[in-house]
Each structure stands twice: as structure tokens, then as C-alpha cells.
Amino acid sequence: MTSRVATLNPKVEQVLKSFKLSREELMLVIRNMRKEMEMGLSRKGQKEASVRMLPTFVRSRPNGKEQGSFVALDLGGTNFRVLLVTFCSQTEGGMKLVNQTYSIPQEVMQGRGIQLFDHIVDCVAKFLSNQNITERLPLGFTFSFPCNQISLDQAILLNWTKGFNVPDCVGKDVVQLLREAIQRRKDLDLEVVALTNDTVGTMMSVAYQDLKCEIGLIVGTGTNACYMEQMKNIEKLDGDLGEMCINMEWGAFGQGEQYSLAKIVNEFDKLVDQQSLHPGKQIFEKMISGKFLGAIVQNVLLNLKEKGCIFQGIQTSKLKQQDIIKTKTMSQIESDSGDLLDVKSILEDLGLPCGIEDCTVVQAVCLAVSQRAAQLCGAGLAAVLERMRENRGVDHMKITVGVDGTLYKSHPHFSQILKDTVKDLAAKCEVHFHQSKDSSGVGAALVAASTRAS
Ligand code: GLC
């Protein structure tokens, strides 16, 4: 790969350079992220902080004694999922899981609240009827958007992110919206007991198997992390005893002015931001997550086409087609480590027929964009790890990170670059990345189960 990159046209090299991050730049990301975390936890700074550091009211992790059946919902990625989770003792087989995925049409993702919640509850009703369930069950709701939680079952939606925009829900309690939608149907009997973010759900579901899991990380459609923080460090909450999981909402990092990403953001990031559903928001997320990486690549390719570096004979309008390069396509393109014939046929299928030289450029662009994404994600994680290590006053910390998200799971290099970056930037932390096998919905069921335990 290196030899191919070395022979690129200087104009291409120039563009690719704007995606290269030095170690100093990554250290700056860590410093700024840590300042934002501190601000987000403080009483005074919380309003200005771009990293919101939201209390989740999850104060412990699973202990293996969870019992009973729960319905769990998972909303926030590309699909909506309904699960039936049953926890039994290890001798009875531990956890049992049945689940079904439903799609959410774009007009529902960007429509009115009543439509969205009725659609969700409609899917739940279909699921329960297929499973022949009629008894009243407790429900845990994984809702992957920033919420101001007042308790486990009260969560005021602060704003939408990713591909969702249902304005009349903002400022409302999402648990209440779900309860009302359940009541609108006479045939459902469910008790909504807890709402969790997907990061929290992932941490909990991994912690069910690995007690050392104290961080949850998502790198999928969006990106975010949560971790266990000591109560005495959460200045904005009363009480000093024990710990609480904090949903960082790190995707919003960079949208503030004080500790920003301004030195790193390039012209292509700015274009992707302007073209997005929520301009000016979620800057870190737009440089890292699956919903946006393809669009960055597309903008770079357009720029190179305009400079006459690639795709001679292809209409510019073709390259302007919305979402022509998806992050999934990048994964496929970057998987070709040989003669690039796979890249050639992928581009042909997209209506972009070209020669091997262009394939080299396209692959180099994808590699540069995904490498930067993984490095930035690694720097964010290093900030969390170093904070936790220092808070504990230890020189060496062993910890597990529970991870979920398609980009992490399916991209050919992302997870390795992320791990290498964390190893370099948080050298005193020995990190085990534990890929979550279950949906973060299982975590919501575990949180729901915790409300029954005492
Ligand atoms: C977005 C959401 C956040 C979620 C993340 C991953 O950043 O705001 O709540 O955890 O996507 O799904």
C-alpha cells in the first residue's frame, strides 16, 4: 500500500495531507476533550460544555443475580430492534434472547412525535403477538440520543442527532411519550421502567460477562462513550458516595468555541457539516462515524475530479449523487489489498467506471479518511482512560471497554488503528476491547432488572 501511495499525483498528496494527524495534534485532542469533560461535570461550566457529560442514574453494574423476563427496545441506529430478554441463573443457562429488527422509514425519522412513537409501539405489538406474549412485562428502552435524565425513567430529550429530526419531541420526557403511545393502544400491557443510552446498554451487556467493563463505546452510525465516574467528581450532582455512569455525548465535541477541533477540521469536514441535517452540531461525530465518512470521501473525490486528477470521462453530476459512497463501500474498497480489481468492480457498480490508477487514488482517500477517524476515536478514548486512571491515583490501570457499532465491527482496519492509537496515547492503561455480541437493548433490560432487585 505504501508504495502505491508514494506514487500519487502531488495534488492528490496535498489533499490527503489534510487528513494526517501528528501525535501533537492527537495530544491536543486529548487535552481539549479532558477540559470539556471537566466543564461538563461542573456546576458552572455545564451550560457551555460541548461534551455534555450526562448523568444516567446507573450506579452499579450487573451482578449475575438478575432474574425475570423483560422487553427491550433499541432505537437510534439505522434500524429499530425489539427484544425479549430472560435472565436466569447460570445453572439454568444464563440469558435467553429473542429479537426482531424493524426499519424506520425516513418520513417517520423526520416527522412528528406521535407518528414515531406509534410506529415503535406498533412494532412492539407485532413482536409480542408473534411471541405469544400476553402477560405484563417490564420494559427497558435504549434510546440513543442526548437526554437530560432526572431518574432512570425520566429523560428529557435535548436534541436529535444522526438522521433523526422530530422537532416536537425536543424538551419532552421520552419515557412519557412511549408510555402515552402504549396507552393509545388498548391491547398492550407494558411497564416502562428504565431508559438508557446505547453506550450504557453496551457497557452493561458486556459487564454482565466481564466485570472489568467500565466503559461503553459505540462506533456505528454515530459515535459516543460512557464510563463509570466517581460521584464526588460529578460536581453538578449532589452526593459524594459511590459511582455513576456518565453518558458523555462526545459526538458533540468540537461544536463549542472554547476547546474546539478548529485546528483539525478541514474544508471537507466543513462541507459535510453544511450538507448535514444538523449543521454546526456533532463535529467530532462527523469526523468519525459511519453516517458521515462516506460523505467525506465523496467530497474529496469531487474536489479531485474538479482539479482534473481523477475520473476523466465521468460526469461530475454522477459524483454528486447523494450517498453514492457509503461507509460500507469504504470498507469493501479498503479490503482489497491486492491488484485493486475488486475496487474497480465496486466503482463500476456505482456507475464510476475507471482505470486502476483512479482505483489507487480512491482507495488512498478511503484509507486516509478512516485512519483519521480511528485515530480521533482513539484520542477520545485515551482522554477517558487517562482521566479514570488519574482519578484512581494509580500508575497502571487494567480495564475493559465494551464496544459496539458496525464501523468498529465490520471495517477492515478501524479497530486495529483504534487499538494502536490507544496503546500509544494511554500507555499506562492496559485495555481489553470486548466486542458486544448482543444488542445494547440487553443492557437496557439489565438496567430494568436492577430496578427489580432491591
Ligand atoms: C449519537 C447520539 C448518542 C449515541 C451515539 C451512538 O452521538 O447523540 O446518544 O450514543 O450517536 O449511537
Side-chain angles (χ1 to χ4, degrees):
M1 264 182 284
T2 329
S3 59
R4 254 189 244 134
V5 175
T7 58
L8 291 171
N9 169 333
K11 282 185 193 162
V12 177
E13 294 277 15
Q14 190 61 31
V15 167
L16 293 184
K17 231 169 104 188
S18 67
F19 288 93
K20 292 270 173 301
L21 296 176
S22 64
R23 197 167 191 280
E24 287 63 43
E25 284 170 319
L26 289 170
M27 295 301 284
L28 178 70
V29 172
I30 297 184
R31 274 202 304 282
N32 283 352
M33 176 73 90
R34 288 194 63 170
K35 296 241 174 67
E36 283 283 331
M37 290 172 78
E38 198 60 53
M39 258 166 74
L41 290 172
S42 72
R43 246 176 243 281
K44 266 198 189 148
Q46 56 174 317
K47 285 212 176 65
E48 281 102 77
S50 65
V51 181
R52 283 203 183 100
M53 307 295 282
L54 301 167
T56 63
F57 293 84
V58 169
R59 306 197 47 160
S60 58
R61 283 163 303 123
N63 56 15
K65 294 195 180 127
E66 293 74 16
Q67 290 281 340
S69 290
F70 299 83
V71 173
L73 313 184
D74 194 346
L75 179 77
T78 330
N79 288 312
F80 169 59
R81 204 191 284 228
V82 187
L83 307 90
L84 176 67
V85 192
T86 306
F87 301 109
C88 5
S89 63
Q90 286 305 327
T91 47
E92 289 169 304
M95 183 189 74
K96 293 186 189 109
L97 180 69
V98 194
N99 74 95
Q100 177 76 50
T101 302
Y102 301 88
S103 65
I104 307 240
Q106 165 121 349
E107 64 274 18
V108 176
M109 285 165 75
Q110 297 174 19
R112 297 188 59 78
I114 202 155
Q115 251 183 311
L116 173 64
F117 281 87
D118 280 352
H119 177 72
I120 289 174
V121 171
D122 203 35
C123 299
V124 179
K126 280 192 194 126
F127 175 80
L128 293 178
S129 141
N130 285 342
Q131 300 298 321
N132 291 323
I133 291 170
T134 46
E135 73 206 271
R136 179 175 172 82
L137 287 178
L139 181 149
F141 185 13
T142 298
F143 181 75
S144 312
F145 301 95
C147 290
N148 198 358
Q149 276 191 262
I150 307 153
S151 61
L152 277 181
D153 68 345
Q154 270 178 294
I156 312 295
L157 175 62
L158 293 166
N159 57 271
W160 291 101
T161 52
K162 298 173 280 194
F164 281 73
N165 189 24
V166 188
D168 63 356
C169 295
V170 176
K172 298 212 176 112
D173 178 359
V174 190
V175 172
Q176 197 49 36
L177 294 178
L178 180 62
R179 284 183 180 142
E180 286 166 10
I182 292 172
Q183 273 157 18
R184 279 197 288 278
R185 292 183 67 113
K186 305 286 173 244
D187 57 343
L188 274 186
D189 198 8
L190 292 163
E191 185 192 357
V192 188
V193 293
L195 177 142
T196 62
N197 188 258
D198 53 353
T199 52
V200 184
T202 298
M203 180 191 78
M204 293 294 277
S205 73
V206 172
Y208 186 62
Q209 297 151 26
D210 176 351
L211 260 179
K212 282 220 163 313
C213 180
E214 295 179 78
I215 299 181
L217 171 69
I218 301 282
V219 202
T221 311
T223 183
N224 189 13
C226 73
Y227 72 103
M228 294 306 288
E229 178 61 277
Q230 296 165 17
M231 278 299 283
K232 66 174 172 14
N233 296 329
I234 312 177
E235 201 210 15
K236 63 185 178 183
L237 282 191
D238 293 335
D240 277 350
L241 288 181
E243 34 179 34
M244 186 184 282
C245 179
I246 292 290
N247 163 21
M248 292 177 66
E249 285 295 328
W250 83 10
F253 178 39
Q255 74 189 34
E257 275 164 27
Q258 209 174 344
Y259 302 109
S260 72
L261 286 164
K263 290 222 171 75
I264 290 170
V265 164
N266 65 28
E267 59 178 301
F268 307 105
D269 298 312
K270 289 185 186 150
L271 277 173
V272 170
D273 179 42
Q274 283 159 19
Q275 294 156 358
S276 72
L277 188 60
H278 306 288
K281 308 280 186 224
Q282 303 292 110
I283 304 301
F284 196 52
E285 180 160 87
K286 284 172 185 161
M287 298 169 93
I288 296 177
S289 77
K291 177 151 183 63
F292 305 98
L293 294 193
I296 303 181
V297 169
Q298 184 174 356
N299 279 302
V300 173
L301 296 181
L302 254 171
N303 176 286
L304 293 176
K305 161 89 179 140
E306 275 155 18
K307 287 183 176 142
C309 304
I310 47 165
F311 293 149
Q312 313 281 340
I314 288 176
Q315 295 278 321
T316 307
S317 60
K318 185 78 210 164
L319 256 184
K320 284 192 173 155
Q321 231 173 286
Q322 212 190 345
D323 290 336
I324 186 161
I325 312 273
K326 299 204 172 63
T327 304
K328 198 171 136 206
T329 324
M330 288 172 68
S331 287
Q332 291 164 344
I333 289 176
E334 291 178 60
S335 297
D336 185 342
S337 54
D339 47 18
L340 298 190
L341 288 176
D342 286 347
V343 177
K344 194 170 179 330
S345 91
I346 293 164
L347 292 174
E348 241 162 50
D349 289 348
L350 293 175
L352 302 168
C354 61
I356 290 295
E357 261 173 43
D358 282 359
C359 294
T360 311
V361 176
V362 173
Q363 192 183 51
V365 171
C366 292
L367 284 165
V369 171
S370 63
Q371 168 168 322
R372 185 189 64 160
Q375 288 175 330
L376 284 173
C377 186
L381 196 54
V384 181
L385 289 162
E386 278 301 282
R387 180 185 165 87
M388 291 176 91
R389 189 185 63 76
E390 285 174 23
N391 278 349
R392 290 170 188 194
V394 293
D395 190 53
H396 179 88
M397 184 178 74
K398 212 170 163 181
I399 197 166
T400 296
V401 178
V403 202
D404 207 349
T406 337
L407 187 54
Y408 181 89
K409 286 179 167 170
S410 311
H411 187 278
H413 316 299
F414 191 98
S415 61
Q416 195 52 51
I417 300 173
L418 169 68
K419 287 175 191 166
D420 292 345
T421 309
V422 170
K423 208 169 190 177
D424 176 33
L425 299 175
K428 292 178 174 174
C429 300
E430 194 181 325
V431 186
H432 170 57
F433 288 83
H434 188 136
Q435 199 167 304
S436 157
K437 279 189 227 77
D438 309 311
S439 141
S440 53
V442 168
L446 283 163
V447 176
S450 74
T451 67
R452 310 269 125 163
S454 46

